[in-house]
Amino acid sequence: MRAATLLYAVAIFLSSSLLFLVEPMAGKRLLPLLGGSAAVWTTCLVFFQCALLLGYLIAHGLITRAGSRAQAVVYIALLAASIAQLSRGISPDLRANPAHPIASVLWLLALLIGLPFVTLSATSPLLQAWYSRWITHRHANTDEITPSIPQPYRLFAISNVGSMSALIVYPWLIEPRSSLREQATGVVLGFAVLAALCAVIAYSVRRAPLLHAAPVADDTTQSARTTVRDRILWVLLAACGSLLLSAVTNHLSQNVATIPLLWVIPLIAYLLSFVVAFSGGRWHPRWLVVTLYIASLVTAGYYLHKGDLEVPRAVLITAFTVSLFLQCLFFHSEVYRRRPAPRHLTAFYFYVAAGGALGAMLVGVVAPTALSGNYELVLGLIFAALLAFAVTWATGWIARGFWLAVAAVMGALAILQVRADRVNSILRVRNFYGSLHVTQVDDARYHAAVRTLYNGVIEHGQQVFSTTLGHSPTTYYGHPSGVGLALDLCCAARPRRVGVIGLGTGTLAAYGQPGDVFRFYELNPAVERIAENVFRYLRDSRATIEIVMGDARLSLASEAPQRYDVLVIDAFSGDAIPVHLLTTQALGLYRRHLQPSGIVAFHVSNRFLDLAPVVEQLAEHAGFKTAFISSDDDTPLDLDSSDWVLVTANETFLSEASVASARQAITIPPRLHRWTDDYNSLLPVLRTSTPKSE
């Protein structure tokens, strides 16, 4: 019996591991297609939760409506079809539709991993149901008493351990050492092993009867019948945990730090809460879980009120992650306390998955269209307090009054957050690509109004409305910067043709002279409206201005050669990296659009990644030379420090005195391999110290 139990545990562990290997592989493929936005991952979570729901529905349907043989045949057939879909590989020709990004992400994920993900999602509840049936059948036909045999719900904890293991292993061991094609091959082999294990299990339960009322070891602690109230609480508790996972991920990625792989940390905390909650409640009693839950709400509320710019990032990431874990532990422990008898197991998991899908959709689909800012976290805390009010209703009036007071405090915090966002704000807009807002202040240093565009907390451009600086390039784009040198020295006083990937406020248009053409590529339609109507760089430029909406790489691929003198790559959203703009294939595309003496200017200012070596390797492989230019702050001219890598075959430009004197060496990390569309890893270029531009 122990050997058979181990077989179930291994199969469930493997299926969950494969599930969370497929997730980052698909997300990695899609993130670049929509600008590397954090919202792409949030939308991926919506797909994953909905696919999980569909998988659980299939498992429930098989268990309740099909015989043992039919269940086994259908499930093995799904595994075989999944292997066939994965064997097709990940198409390099995937295209996203920036006009409908949410629908585009969902559709592309369905094409990439739809059936495999649904099949893997069905595996855990299906095998747990088979395991329960097998125990019931064995107890009915033997006098052996085996109280130490794990119960089906404990296998759910094992499932989440498998998910966590894959989530940790992928970015640190798999991604840096293998291409997407190799990863896909490994997943196919994993599916084959899973199919073999499940075939053995299916054979062992083929004669077991369908689940019935016969009890298994600890049925006395579980509900014999489920009520409407139980099902509603299953959904709401799971929804609140999923909502807070997505909200915390958004908050950390957009407002605290756009650190690569940061989304892994809250997801691990979320999964760990399932592991702890479903491992049994003897060593984490309810009073302790409730106490820690209260502390987590207070902590999250405090740091939201304190503000993201006044607290060190490491403290904020730790505080919000620990708070998320403790809140989800409360929700999932309450779900576990209300679990039904194993014969209702698949229905129970279906309702839990429905809650997970609902929570993800509220953040990933509803919030970007219904909210003007990132308010889903504080609204989630209000929901969490009200849910605790409902769950602890039976404990008396004191507890009810306490939770209503907590909800009221969180409501007040929401009001304060909205008011704080309106200080000096002249425009705030939110869409799939993030939350944009424009502030205006009267700056005594310049004796003029200063407007600044922010994406989250990242500055994306600024204009000083003074007579001296109103038409001058500011922030990262001044004349001493790498892009400034490229534009000033590229063309020997003749009209220039310039391409710019990433519009921002349109600052580079300030370099425009009569006869010049500046062609901007922009993914986010809200950025175009802001640049044209709130800032004056585009309107006041003396050059001809052209704006192309959509993914820049796809636009360039469909255009005739543009013969750019300078092509500026400045599409990185804060510190998020659309890696498809930094690959061998991308540089080959840029080369097709350059003059023979043209320059590609990569903006590589980044607090967390050292991207200059990546560009150096690409340039060396293509036969180009590079100039790494790092410029300093200059407050009187409203210039920020910036790092640029200029890639060119133009030896005359590189020998210019101002370029040669500013040029710095680039050191290649030993573990860094050249990025391609099929292989790229951020791990070797993670910074170990804060750069000068921080």
Side-chain angles (χ1 to χ4, degrees):
M1 180 170 280
R2 290 183 183 274
T5 300
L6 180 61
L7 181 63
Y8 278 91
V10 170
I12 288 174
F13 181 92
L14 177 59
S15 69
S16 298
S17 298
L18 289 172
L19 192 70
F20 275 77
L21 289 177
V22 169
E23 277 191 19
M25 285 172 55
K28 179 182 175 68
R29 186 66 186 88
L30 290 185
L31 276 168
L33 301 182
L34 289 161
S37 168
V40 177
W41 178 250
T42 304
T43 308
C44 287
L45 286 178
V46 174
F47 175 86
F48 298 148
Q49 295 281 18
C50 291
L52 192 71
L53 175 63
L54 179 57
Y56 284 10
L57 178 62
I58 291 173
H60 179 63
L62 286 175
I63 289 297
T64 57
R65 298 182 181 276
S68 299
R69 187 180 299 276
Q71 292 173 27
V73 169
V74 170
Y75 178 65
I76 298 301
L78 287 174
L79 283 173
S82 298
I83 293 174
Q85 181 176 359
L86 288 172
S87 299
R88 294 168 51 199
I90 297 178
S91 171
D93 300 321
L94 285 179
R95 296 292 183 267
N97 183 355
H100 304 284
I102 293 177
S104 186
V105 168
L106 298 178
W107 171 246
L108 289 174
L109 283 172
L111 291 178
L112 281 173
I113 60 167
L115 184 58
F117 199 93
V118 170
T119 302
L120 289 173
S121 299
T123 300
S124 179
L126 186 63
L127 292 187
Q128 288 179 61
W130 286 357
Y131 179 76
S132 178
R133 180 196 307 165
W134 177 74
I135 292 177
T136 301
H137 181 65
R138 184 173 179 86
H139 274 271
N141 292 277
T142 182
D143 294 329
E144 179 184 3
I145 299 175
T146 53
S148 62
I149 296 300
Q151 296 306 304
Y153 289 113
R154 304 288 179 85
L155 294 177
F156 189 65
I158 293 175
S159 170
N160 283 279
V161 170
S163 301
M164 287 176 52
S165 301
L167 198 60
I168 294 170
V169 165
Y170 181 81
W172 300 105
L173 295 179
I174 296 177
E175 184 188 35
R177 292 172 170 80
S178 58
S179 67
L180 280 174
R181 188 180 303 277
E182 293 167 338
Q183 293 169 29
T185 301
V187 168
V188 170
L189 293 176
F191 261 89
V193 174
L194 178 63
L197 290 174
C198 291
V200 173
I201 292 173
Y203 181 80
S204 70
V205 298
R206 70 194 187 284
R207 295 180 180 175
L210 296 179
L211 285 178
H212 52 76
V216 297
D218 66 350
D219 250 13
T220 57
T221 65
Q222 299 157 21
S223 304
R225 300 179 60 185
T226 62
T227 65
V228 173
R229 182 177 184 274
D230 289 331
R231 293 191 287 271
I232 291 174
L233 283 177
W234 294 342
V235 172
L236 292 181
L237 288 164
C240 198
S242 176
L243 185 155
L244 287 175
L245 165 65
S246 298
V248 168
T249 302
N250 267 358
H251 183 74
L252 293 180
S253 299
Q254 298 183 26
N255 296 335
V256 177
T258 48
I259 301 174
L261 307 177
L262 182 59
W263 57 268
V264 171
I265 299 175
L267 186 52
I268 289 175
Y270 176 77
L271 294 173
L272 183 60
S273 69
F274 273 116
V275 174
V276 176
F278 278 72
S279 61
R282 295 179 180 177
W283 57 278
H284 52 89
R286 192 187 191 199
W287 67 265
L288 178 60
V289 172
V290 172
T291 301
L292 294 175
Y293 176 62
I294 295 171
S296 70
L297 288 176
V298 172
T299 300
Y302 170 78
Y303 282 110
L304 273 179
H305 177 66
K306 186 75 173 176
D308 301 317
L309 300 179
E310 299 181 15
V311 182
R313 290 187 183 89
V315 174
L316 285 171
I317 293 171
T318 302
F320 281 114
T321 302
V322 173
S323 294
L324 173 67
F325 166 73
L326 294 175
Q327 289 161 31
C328 289
L329 178 60
F330 171 76
F331 303 137
H332 299 152
S333 294
E334 292 297 320
V335 168
Y336 182 75
R337 287 182 68 248
R338 291 165 172 78
R339 70 196 185 282
R343 61 180 176 276
H344 302 299
L345 179 146
T346 53
F348 168 71
Y349 284 132
F350 171 77
Y351 284 108
V352 171
L358 174 62
M361 291 180 66
L362 288 174
V363 176
V365 178
V366 176
T369 56
L371 302 177
S372 61
N374 296 104
Y375 304 128
E376 55 265 32
L377 180 52
V378 68
L379 294 176
L381 295 178
I382 296 173
F383 179 25
L386 293 175
L387 193 54
F389 168 78
V391 168
T392 60
W393 176 270
T395 57
W397 285 104
I398 295 178
R400 297 172 201 167
F402 172 79
W403 288 116
L404 286 177
V406 172
V409 170
M410 294 301 171
L413 179 61
I415 294 172
L416 291 174
Q417 187 177 353
V418 173
R419 288 181 177 177
D421 285 346
R422 292 179 178 177
V423 175
N424 297 325
S425 179
I426 61 173
L427 177 67
R428 178 172 288 273
V429 62
R430 181 177 178 183
N431 61 14
F432 172 84
Y433 300 100
S435 178
L436 300 170
H437 69 281
V438 180
T439 63
Q440 178 170 311
V441 297
D442 293 322
D443 197 317
R445 295 173 299 175
Y446 309 112
H447 305 288
V450 178
R451 288 182 183 173
T452 307
L453 171 63
Y454 291 94
N455 185 344
V457 295
I458 302 297
E459 180 182 320
H460 271 227
Q462 188 175 87
Q463 186 166 20
V464 180
F465 289 87
S466 69
T467 55
T468 55
L469 294 177
H471 299 88
S472 299
T474 58
T475 61
Y476 314 110
Y477 311 103
H479 291 281
S481 69
V483 70
L485 293 173
L487 290 171
D488 287 338
L489 302 174
C490 71
C491 302
R494 64 174 173 79
R496 298 164 294 187
R497 185 167 181 82
V498 179
V500 183
I501 298 178
L503 176 59
T505 59
T507 307
L508 287 173
Y511 283 93
Q513 299 296 328
D516 291 345
V517 176
F518 277 67
R519 186 176 176 87
F520 291 90
Y521 299 86
E522 177 55 48
L523 186 65
N524 187 346
V527 171
E528 178 193 20
R529 292 192 293 270
I530 290 172
E532 290 183 332
N533 300 307
V534 182
F535 295 87
R536 299 189 60 89
Y537 289 117
L538 297 180
R539 283 180 285 170
D540 293 346
S541 178
R542 290 178 287 178
T544 298
I545 302 297
E546 300 173 351
I547 298 178
V548 179
M549 296 304 300
D551 178 80
R553 184 166 163 182
L554 298 182
S555 298
L556 288 169
S558 64
E559 292 177 344
Q562 296 295 307
R563 299 187 63 79
Y564 290 125
D565 296 296
V566 179
L567 178 58
V568 183
I569 315 301
D570 186 36
F572 308 147
S573 175
D575 295 297
I577 305 300
V579 295
H580 72 316
L581 299 179
L582 281 172
T583 66
T584 298
Q585 292 81 1
L587 184 57
L589 180 61
Y590 304 153
R591 187 175 202 165
R592 185 168 73 87
H593 287 279
L594 282 181
Q595 296 272 13
S597 60
I599 304 165
V600 184
F602 289 89
H603 190 187
V604 296
S605 302
N606 196 288
R607 293 169 294 178
F608 307 109
L609 296 171
D610 184 10
L611 295 172
V614 175
V615 179
E616 175 71 22
Q617 284 190 331
L618 298 179
E620 182 179 347
H621 179 264
F624 284 121
K625 298 292 181 63
T626 63
F628 176 45
I629 310 295
S630 183
S631 58
D632 296 320
D633 291 331
D634 190 332
T635 301
L637 295 178
D638 192 33
L639 299 182
D640 298 326
S641 60
S642 64
D643 296 331
W644 292 82
V645 179
L646 308 180
V647 177
T648 184
N650 188 339
E651 295 284 357
T652 302
F653 169 77
L654 294 175
S655 64
E656 291 278 354
S658 54
V659 176
S661 62
R663 192 175 180 183
Q664 299 180 21
I666 299 175
T667 302
I668 307 293
R671 294 184 299 157
L672 179 63
H673 300 288
R674 178 169 48 87
W675 286 9
T676 67
D677 287 347
D678 192 49
Y679 171 83
N680 45 79
S681 173
L682 299 176
L683 194 61
V685 293
L686 282 174
R687 292 188 184 273
T688 56
S689 60
T690 303
K692 172 190 65 178
S693 59
E694 167 63 4

